[in-house]
Amino acid sequence: MSAVISTDICIIGAGPVGLFAVFEAGLLKLRCHVVDALPQPGGQLSEIYPKKPIYDIPSYPEILAGDLIDNLMKQIEPFHPTFTLGERVERFARLDDGSFQLYTTDGTEIQCKAVAIAGGLGSFEPRKPAVESLERFEGGKGVHYMVRDPEHFRDKKIVIAGGGDSALDWTNFLANVASEVTLVHRGTTFRGAADSAEKVKTLHEAGKIKLVLSSNVTHLHGDDTLQQVTITGNNGEAETVPLDAFVPLFGLTPKLGPIGDWNLDLTDDAIVVNTEDYSTSLPGVYAIGDINTYPGKLKLILCGFHEAALMCQGAFKYIYPDKKYTLKYTTVNGAPTM
Ligand code: FAD
């Protein structure tokens, strides 16, 4: 069980909108803790289209999605936000004094004065392959749907399954970390980037990884923890290999997940907000970015940035009802600090 984290605003979702909210909150001297189910910040931009150029961010005629996230991370540095990544917020409770307690899948507890839900399309859930007894070995027993920390696999024998960017990238990366990496792919050609596929082939030819094509992992074996997997070829031939970890990387799909159970007003899986401050039906809880809905809503990063600014003003008033805030331009106040 992790220690309790205490902050002013807990932001659920480290997509572009959640990250920019840290900046706007920082200008108001509000501290933020950001939680995301994914192991890296950036939401859809990092997970779905990091190498795609975006053309409608003001003052950037063109910027790669991944670079936009890098810039946002740099922009919020002066405010020292803290992060819990790779954990999903499961539930929260509003206390009698109007503050909140949030709990993640891994038992992290966050105490905060306001909550900003910037959950986008929901949390990304792994696409699981249809392998019997997969679930028996989840939760630290040998099956990992994401690589949260590559060091976890140091000197371990691992089998990765998949043919997209994630499977290729992690195979290439973990070849230098794990003691043995086997990549199993059901086809003969990869969906991921051609240069990553090329690297995998080069590593295979150099004997640094094993590559098993036209095959699937079909069975998992072990008592308390995973010990072996059976790899079956499309021709029916099977072999059972010992391993420490099985990493199926078949992509992630967004699901509204637990947010749907938090008793907030919803329409079509989006949280209904008041556009004055992006407050939800529960006082002290705000929703910004793709996750909210209101008349005229546009699911655009630009709109999410605007919502983040107004949300922080609302959260400030909620946290400090007696304090007066006067808007000051950043050009007047100088470089932002906390
Ligand atoms: P997201 O980016 O979806 O991030 C939300 C985060 O919340 C996710 O990382 C998720 O894991 C996390 N989360 C959700 N629930 C939980 C939970 N319970 N616990 C922990 N974490 C949780 N927009 C533009 O403006 N211009 C474009 O050119 C453009 N191009 C696009 C191209 C593609 C291919 C796609 C898919 C989208 C594009 N968009 C574009 C839309 C843009 O990506 C979204 O508007 C933007 O990502 C919304 O940001 P967000 O921060 O609200 O949510």
Side-chain angles (χ1 to χ4, degrees), residues 13 15-17 36-37 43-45 49 54 56 89 118-120 122-123 289-290 300-301:
V17 178
D36 204 297
Q44 296 172 52
L45 286 76
Y49 62 105
I54 307 179
D56 57 349
V89 177
S123 64
D290 279 12
L300 287 176
I301 299 162

Side-chain angles (χ1 to χ4, degrees), residues 185-205:
H185 177 42
R186 61 188 156 210
T188 50
T189 53
F190 292 101
R191 273 176 295 110
D195 60 329
S196 309
E198 209 45 54
K199 257 191 215 159
V200 162
K201 282 182 193 148
T202 310
L203 284 172
H204 170 57
E205 279 155 18

Side-chain angles (χ1 to χ4, degrees), residues 161-182:
D165 282 316
S166 219
L168 294 172
D169 291 349
W170 282 120
T171 299
N172 288 326
F173 188 90
L174 292 171
N176 294 319
V177 176
S179 62
E180 192 179 298
V181 178
T182 304

Side-chain angles (χ1 to χ4, degrees), residues 17-303:
V17 178
L19 294 179
F20 191 64
V22 174
F23 181 83
E24 288 296 323
L27 294 180
L28 302 174
K29 305 280 179 216
L30 297 174
R31 292 168 304 133
C32 293
H33 184 78
V34 187
V35 189
D36 204 297
L38 293 174
Q40 76 282 328
Q44 296 172 52
L45 286 76
S46 302
E47 192 53 42
I48 305 179
Y49 62 105
K51 300 284 178 209
K52 275 198 165 137
I54 307 179
Y55 300 98
D56 57 349
I57 302 298
S59 95
Y60 285 103
E62 178 181 337
I63 182 165
L64 291 183
D67 291 345
L68 179 67
I69 295 304
D70 289 347
N71 286 354
L72 283 166
M73 290 297 284
K74 197 164 170 34
Q75 192 171 19
I76 62 178
E77 254 171 34
F79 301 120
H80 314 294
T82 47
F83 287 87
T84 297
L85 296 175
E87 295 182 28
R88 190 170 80 168
V89 177
E90 275 307 293
R91 60 192 175 92
F92 76 83
R94 189 169 186 273
L95 308 183
D96 289 344
D97 66 357
S99 69
F100 297 87
Q101 260 170 333
L102 285 78
Y103 304 89
T104 73
T105 32
D106 289 26
T108 303
E109 186 180 329
I110 301 140
Q111 293 178 345
C112 59
K113 297 172 185 156
V115 176
I117 304 173
L121 305 174
S123 64
F124 286 88
E125 306 286 322
R127 281 198 196 97
K128 299 183 184 182
V131 182
E132 215 180 287
S133 57
L134 195 69
E135 263 127 45
R136 230 182 86 203
F137 298 108
E138 290 176 352
K141 294 180 184 161
V143 172
H144 302 261
Y145 299 107
M146 289 180 199
V147 180
R148 292 181 189 179
D149 176 9
E151 279 306 309
H152 181 80
F153 300 103
R154 181 159 296 279
D155 301 327
K156 303 250 169 80
K157 280 188 185 175
I158 62 170
V159 172
I160 296 176
D165 282 316
S166 219
L168 294 172
D169 291 349
W170 282 120
T171 299
N172 288 326
F173 188 90
L174 292 171
N176 294 319
V177 176
S179 62
E180 192 179 298
V181 178
T182 304
L183 175 63
V184 181
H185 177 42
R186 61 188 156 210
T188 50
T189 53
F190 292 101
R191 273 176 295 110
D195 60 329
S196 309
E198 209 45 54
K199 257 191 215 159
V200 162
K201 282 182 193 148
T202 310
L203 284 172
H204 170 57
E205 279 155 18
K208 298 217 166 122
I209 63 155
K210 291 183 184 167
L211 182 58
V212 188
L213 297 175
S214 305
S215 301
N216 287 292
V217 169
T218 50
H219 296 91
L220 308 185
H221 316 274
D223 298 323
D224 284 346
T225 55
L226 181 65
Q227 281 151 357
Q228 294 176 318
V229 292
T230 302
I231 301 170
T232 308
N234 295 347
N235 59 6
E237 275 177 29
E239 68 164 327
T240 297
V241 297
L243 82 173
D244 298 303
F246 173 45
V247 189
L249 296 174
F250 292 101
L252 302 168
T253 49
K255 288 216 175 78
L256 186 62
I259 294 173
D261 305 324
W262 292 347
N263 285 329
L264 300 166
D265 281 356
L266 298 177
T267 300
D268 293 334
D269 277 356
I271 303 172
V272 177
V273 288
N274 173 351
T275 51
E276 192 181 323
D277 54 3
Y278 297 91
S279 51
T280 68
S281 51
L282 193 61
V285 179
Y286 301 81
I288 50 174
D290 279 12
I291 194 82
N292 73 15
T293 183
Y294 52 86
K297 168 73 184 176
L298 287 178
K299 288 189 180 184
L300 287 176
I301 299 162
L302 163 80
C303 301

